[in-house]
Amino acid sequence: MKDRSLGSRLFDGANYLLLTIVALVMILPFIYVIAVSFATPEEIAQRGFILFPTQFSLSAYAYIFSTDTLLRSLGTSIYITLMGTFINLFFTSMMAYPLAKRHLRGREKILLLVLFTMLFNGGMIPTYFVVKDVGLIDSLWALMIPGAISAFNLIIMKNFFQQVPYELEESAKIDGCNDLGILFRIVIPLSLPAMATIGLFYAVTHWNTFFNAILYINDSSKWPLQVLLRDIVMLANDRFGDQSAVERSDFHPITIRMAVIVFATVPILLVYPFLMKHFAKGAMMGSVKG
């Protein structure tokens, strides 16, 4: 192998430097949030930017766990995320599979309608009345059923299904398998990268459910985690609105915000390592063909 030129080595060095800077810019905010959530009020007052607290304090976490409704809201968010993602994947795959067949009558018109929903929607008020008229107000189904199919994810899954070899489906039909059997026994198992990628998109959306929960859920006992944590932050701001109250407390309202962010973010981040091997492959392969 020939020695690399000076220009090539300088180019690689510049790339490494740039990527290192970008990585630090992305990682430092996470480190800051975690560090501040464990910091004491005195250290926050003395140091404006904290990456490693000198004195650890769990007072902020004790405060957000002081209410017995937190675990219930956590369970609600987990239920919405798991059940909602299952509903999304089921209906999205059921619609994407027939649309992946080029011989389907009216396929182009249906795809046009799907694309139309990506540009226009009914709006917040008409959607609210639809949810109300079907009796989903104050029901967790209101956070899962209205957005059962995402047009963007549907297109990705359709494109991925189109890449499954047609010979496999023909062989299954010769063996007496019907369309549903082909979908669940052949197509979906071969499309696990796409299913994992789209499932992660759906799961993150359900976990971060906030605005729809405020619109459709009036019963505070059914609030998901994001809405409850918003109330905790607001209560902390009201309780520690003046400096004297902050000085009398074991924690600063900023630590409450950061502890809330950590508590709401860590669970969904734990899912990424298990799906990362499928994530890039599914996103890329599902977006190549039209």
Side-chain angles (χ1 to χ4, degrees):
M1 181 181 294
K2 296 182 179 180
D3 294 336
R4 301 173 60 192
S5 64
L6 177 61
S8 178
R9 284 180 290 178
L10 290 176
F11 178 76
D12 289 344
N15 282 337
Y16 289 139
L17 178 61
L18 178 61
L19 291 176
T20 301
I21 295 174
V22 172
L24 290 175
V25 170
M26 298 178 65
I27 294 175
L28 285 179
F30 288 97
I31 299 177
Y32 171 77
V33 168
I34 296 174
V36 172
S37 68
F38 289 103
T40 60
E42 295 80 10
E43 188 169 7
I44 294 177
Q46 295 174 0
R47 302 168 57 190
F49 186 76
I50 301 174
L51 291 180
F52 190 84
T54 56
Q55 294 182 350
F56 283 84
S57 174
L58 297 176
S59 300
Y61 291 94
Y63 176 82
I64 65 175
F65 280 104
S66 61
T67 172
D68 57 356
T69 59
L70 185 63
L71 294 179
R72 182 175 59 211
S73 293
L74 176 62
T76 299
S77 290
I78 293 175
Y79 173 78
I80 292 173
T81 301
L82 295 179
M83 181 61 69
T85 302
F86 173 78
I87 292 174
N88 294 139
L89 290 177
F90 177 79
F91 284 105
T92 302
S93 60
M94 291 292 288
M95 185 174 182
Y97 179 65
L99 291 178
K101 307 303 177 184
R102 300 186 183 276
H103 61 270
L104 178 69
R105 289 186 178 181
R107 175 177 178 268
E108 291 77 11
K109 295 181 180 179
I110 297 175
L111 287 175
L112 182 61
L113 293 176
V114 171
L115 294 175
F116 182 83
T117 63
M118 298 179 66
L119 303 175
F120 305 97
N121 59 66
M124 181 181 68
I125 296 177
T127 303
Y128 176 84
F129 281 118
V130 171
V131 173
K132 180 181 178 181
D133 290 341
V134 297
L136 293 181
I137 295 297
D138 263 346
S139 172
L140 295 181
W141 295 109
L143 307 179
M144 297 179 281
I145 298 298
I149 298 178
S150 166
F152 176 77
N153 294 332
L154 175 67
I155 297 299
I156 294 179
M157 187 173 290
K158 176 194 73 71
N159 293 342
F160 201 96
F161 285 171
Q162 288 180 180
Q163 301 178 34
V164 176
Y166 183 70
E167 292 76 11
L168 293 176
E169 299 185 24
E170 285 186 335
S171 300
K173 289 182 179 179
I174 293 175
D175 292 336
C177 195
N178 56 22
D179 290 330
L180 288 178
I182 295 174
L183 174 62
F184 289 106
R185 295 182 182 180
I186 297 178
V187 177
I188 289 181
L190 293 176
S191 304
L192 287 182
M195 300 293 288
T197 302
I198 295 173
L200 184 59
F201 290 158
Y202 280 130
V204 171
T205 300
H206 286 298
W207 183 262
N208 293 328
T209 295
F210 175 76
F211 187 68
N212 287 343
I214 293 178
L215 285 179
Y216 305 138
I217 306 297
N218 301 319
D219 186 358
S220 60
S221 64
K222 297 180 180 179
W223 280 351
L225 184 63
Q226 307 297 336
V227 179
L228 179 64
L229 295 184
R230 165 185 170 271
D231 270 17
I232 292 177
V233 172
M234 294 181 64
L235 288 174
N237 291 336
D238 294 339
R239 179 180 173 185
F240 304 102
D242 59 278
Q243 186 63 30
S244 60
V246 173
E247 295 174 353
R248 295 192 302 269
S249 175
D250 294 333
F251 53 87
H252 196 281
I254 294 180
T255 62
I256 296 295
R257 300 190 190 101
M258 300 309 176
V260 165
I261 294 174
V262 172
F263 183 78
T265 305
V266 167
I268 197 66
L269 285 180
L270 295 178
V271 180
Y272 275 92
F274 300 99
L275 300 177
M276 187 55 63
K277 62 180 179 180
H278 300 296
F279 185 80
K281 180 181 178 182
M284 292 300 296
M285 292 185 65
S287 60
V288 173
K289 298 182 179 180

